[in-house]
Amino acid sequence: MRNDPTSTAAAVLARVGGPANVTSVAHCMTRLRLAVADPTAVDEEGLRGLPGVLGVVADGGSSVQVVLGPGMVGEVTEAVRERVREVPEEVREQVREVPEEVPERVAEEPGGGAGARVADQPVGAGAPLKEQLRQRNATPFKTALRRIAAVFVPLIPALIGCGILAGINGLLVNAGWLPGLTPALAAVASAFMALIAVFVGYNTAQEFGGTPVLGGAVAAVVVYPGVAKVTVFGVHLAPGQGGVLGALAAALLATRVEKWCRGRVPGALDVLLTPTVTVLVSGLVTLYGLMYAAGVVASAIGTAANWLLATTGAVAGLVLGGLFLPLVMLGLHQALIPIHTTLIEQQGYTVLLPLLAMAGAGQVGAALAVYVRLRHDTSLRTTIRSALPAGLLGVGEPLIYGVSLPLGRPFVTACVGGAAGGAFVGFFAMLGDQVGATAIGPSGWALFPLLAGNRGAGVAAAVYGGGLLTGYAVGFAATYLFGFPRRPRSRARSRSDSGSRVAASA
């Protein structure tokens, strides 16, 4: 039975400190992403126990990710947003002013609740280790990666839609069908990518505390056709030079300039001077520095990716396919989105996504092995049956949090399957058969409509399909043979001895 999104939203909010404790709400394909003012009010165990919640990723800081799965996550996110909007600002300000002695305060609250559970946690045996892991995951580097990922996550639906339309248009053009429609489809599919820098700038300013439209205005300089008349270091700039990386840097600079102005410009002149100075300074720095530098970095990313696959494709695929599941588990896989987007801007497809997608194939193979081996575990087999369709379509969280991670060893053997699939695809890249994806987001079988390559979509689909089958097979075999603990030798010997004694007495 499908869970009610409204009830799920209410239950989630109750376990993250209430709507007033939530400072921002977003979602990707499978996860509800919340930022909270008081992290100690989050009841992780309570969240994990909710019906419909497949897992929770929390770093001990202000970020909480609730894994809900595709489809459901969008409906729950909207319900959460509605409740968060209803909170009066004065109530929200009170929640933000959290006293330093939070554990003592919440421990004295009548009835305990989530806060009391957090206050009581240090007396538990595993609390010190858990706290160390929280601090390790809340490093400035990881926090910065998550914030940058938050800039690009909202763009994924448009990337998927435009990528699929571009693939359909390519098939129609190659087949010579509907020549009157294909130019229109090309315009619809390409318009977003042509202006993606503006959206990146808008989201960057919003994420880092600036005025979103100013971030978008400065980032628009990157794609404005008139920059072709600007000369930097003796070379004319090209519209789009630097791509999303240049837009990201430009909007970050605009946010810093805006904040600097806000604290120094008189209130009466703020509405005039602050936007003007922000756009002027950031725009000029973008033209005469950031676009050129970001263009060099973007070109280096494309060159490095192609070189890596052409020379060490099998090894690179093995490493990337084997390590991607832990990144998904930690929620850090979204940090790769700027790299994917840069490659799509440059080459029309990202050669890294098909390699990373092999991790999902290893996960599916491991889940099938668990299903075969644990025939008497009805509950686990039911979970596998319900999560397997999503896994085949590249949504790995249900299988990760519901099957392989709780069992331990199958998570490792799933990574082995992913490594094998990645090595397969990487090997063909060494032979000159590149496989890429025209958009990011889907993987598994859902990635087939988005596949492209230097030798056509047919060859790309064949190589990618072979990688999936390899990942399934190796993930299944590794899990079936090594994914379960063997019976302790002492226990087996005692049973053998008792059996001998029974036979002798008989």
Side-chain angles (χ1 to χ4, degrees), residues 85 196 224 293 314 368 498:
R85 291 193 197 104
I196 190 173
Y224 176 59
L368 290 173
S498 63

Side-chain angles (χ1 to χ4, degrees), residues 402-498:
V403 182
S404 63
L405 195 59
L407 294 176
R409 287 193 185 187
F411 182 79
V412 177
T413 54
C415 293
V416 173
F424 181 94
V425 177
F427 175 76
F428 278 90
M430 293 174 63
L431 299 179
D433 298 320
Q434 282 192 353
V435 179
T438 58
I440 56 178
S443 75
W445 291 92
L447 193 61
F448 275 103
L450 298 170
L451 290 177
N454 60 334
R455 297 192 177 176
V459 173
V463 174
Y464 180 75
L468 288 180
L469 294 177
T470 302
Y472 296 154
V474 175
F476 180 93
T479 305
Y480 192 90
L481 296 175
F482 308 108
F484 303 91
R486 295 181 179 179
R487 182 186 303 169
R489 185 173 299 177
S490 59
R491 183 181 302 176
R493 183 181 297 114
S494 64
R495 290 183 179 178
S496 175
D497 294 343
S498 63

Side-chain angles (χ1 to χ4, degrees), residues 15-382:
R15 287 159 179 80
V16 296
N21 194 40
V22 177
T23 58
S24 71
V25 182
H27 76 91
C28 57
M29 290 186 65
T30 59
R31 303 182 184 197
L32 167 64
R33 295 168 174 264
L34 303 175
V36 295
D38 180 8
T40 63
V42 178
D43 178 11
E44 290 184 38
E45 294 304 319
L47 282 172
R48 289 190 176 92
L50 290 177
V53 172
L54 305 173
V56 176
V57 180
D59 58 11
S62 62
S63 174
V64 180
Q65 301 176 30
V66 184
V67 184
L68 298 169
M72 186 68 172
V73 66
E75 299 179 16
V76 173
T77 300
E78 287 304 314
V80 168
R81 281 200 181 106
E82 290 181 4
R83 284 166 170 73
V84 171
R85 291 193 197 104
E86 294 173 356
V87 178
E89 187 60 30
E90 57 270 18
V91 175
R92 194 179 301 282
E93 290 297 330
Q94 293 176 2
V95 173
R96 289 172 182 167
E97 298 172 0
V98 182
E100 294 183 1
E101 302 297 329
V102 174
E104 288 77 0
R105 173 178 59 82
V106 295
E108 296 174 358
E109 292 178 355
R117 281 190 289 274
V118 173
D120 294 339
Q121 281 179 358
V123 301
L129 177 60
K130 184 176 181 180
E131 183 60 26
Q132 291 177 7
L133 293 174
R134 285 176 176 272
Q135 293 178 0
R136 188 181 306 167
N137 285 329
T139 61
F141 175 71
K142 290 184 177 180
T143 301
L145 286 181
R146 292 187 181 95
R147 298 195 72 178
I148 292 175
V151 172
F152 289 90
V153 166
L155 305 179
I156 290 179
L159 287 169
I160 294 173
C162 294
I164 291 177
L165 288 177
I168 294 173
N169 188 65
L171 292 175
L172 293 176
V173 171
N174 292 335
W177 297 341
L178 303 177
L181 179 63
T182 51
L185 276 180
V188 172
S190 303
F192 173 74
M193 288 304 300
L195 298 175
I196 190 173
V198 179
F199 295 96
V200 169
Y202 185 96
N203 288 350
T204 300
Q206 188 173 51
E207 174 65 24
F208 288 88
T211 301
V213 72
L214 291 180
V218 174
V221 174
V222 175
V223 295
Y224 176 59
V227 300
K229 300 178 181 179
V230 179
T231 302
V232 178
F233 302 119
V235 179
H236 286 287
L237 292 176
Q241 185 172 334
V244 295
L245 299 181
L248 180 68
L252 284 172
L253 176 62
T255 300
R256 295 295 298 271
V257 173
E258 181 187 0
K259 290 181 177 180
W260 184 87
C261 291
R262 296 288 184 199
R264 291 167 175 78
V265 175
L269 299 176
D270 179 72
V271 69
L272 297 176
L273 290 182
T274 297
T276 303
V277 173
T278 298
V279 174
L280 176 63
V281 174
S282 304
L284 290 176
V285 173
T286 298
L287 284 172
Y288 289 100
L290 295 181
M291 283 184 65
Y292 183 85
V296 172
V297 174
S299 298
I301 289 176
T303 302
N306 292 331
W307 177 88
L308 188 67
L309 293 181
T311 56
T312 63
V315 176
L318 185 144
V319 173
L320 293 173
L323 294 181
F324 192 59
L325 277 182
L327 290 180
V328 173
M329 182 189 70
L330 296 173
L332 297 178
H333 60 300
Q334 303 291 357
L336 296 171
I337 296 177
I339 298 177
H340 291 313
T341 308
T342 298
L343 292 174
I344 292 173
E345 280 187 316
Q346 287 182 347
Q347 305 173 8
Y349 52 80
T350 167
V351 293
L352 298 181
L353 185 57
L355 296 174
L356 300 173
M358 295 300 113
Q363 179 83 348
V364 168
L368 290 173
V370 172
Y371 189 86
V372 172
R373 284 290 300 267
L374 301 183
R375 293 187 178 91
H376 302 293
D377 194 329
T378 306
S379 176
L380 186 60
R381 284 165 64 92
T382 300

